[in-house]
Amino acid sequence: MELRAWQALFDGEYAEAVEICQAGIGQAAPFSSASAQLTAQKARAWARVRDGVETHRTLNDAAEIVSRLPVHLLSCDGASPRPASTSR
């Protein structure tokens, strides 16, 4: 669903992107990285059609989801724990 939503956004099909994101959110685990990504994409689609109310509401939804994600999913600075080496 995430790739389909990105493609719809790229193609300028914003109403379709909102629909795809909504369907994906319904299938994704609540408060998961997938639901966060789809919700953020949905906000981007609302912004592209200049619907400020829906954009802000959806951004707030995305912020709520992200605030519940485990910290290790948010690390991208190389400080994340690395798996132990399997070489001898």
Side-chain angles (χ1 to χ4, degrees):
M1 288 285 188
E2 290 177 75
L3 290 176
R4 287 180 53 212
W6 275 115
Q7 188 64 52
L9 283 167
F10 182 78
D11 292 342
E13 300 294 337
Y14 305 124
E16 181 181 354
V18 168
E19 290 176 16
I20 292 168
C21 289
Q22 194 59 44
I25 292 164
Q27 294 177 9
F31 305 106
S32 65
S33 59
S35 64
Q37 183 67 27
L38 286 162
T39 304
Q41 289 178 11
K42 183 177 165 186
R44 179 176 283 123
W46 283 123
R48 296 282 170 85
V49 296
R50 301 187 185 278
D51 187 325
V53 172
E54 284 299 322
T55 300
H56 286 284
R57 185 188 63 74
T58 308
L59 284 172
N60 287 334
D61 292 347
E64 175 66 19
I65 295 166
V66 169
S67 75
R68 295 180 183 213
L69 291 176
V71 174
H72 74 276
L73 292 178
L74 304 176
S75 292
C76 60
D77 63 358
S80 299
R82 292 194 170 92
S85 174
T86 57
S87 64
R88 294 180 189 233

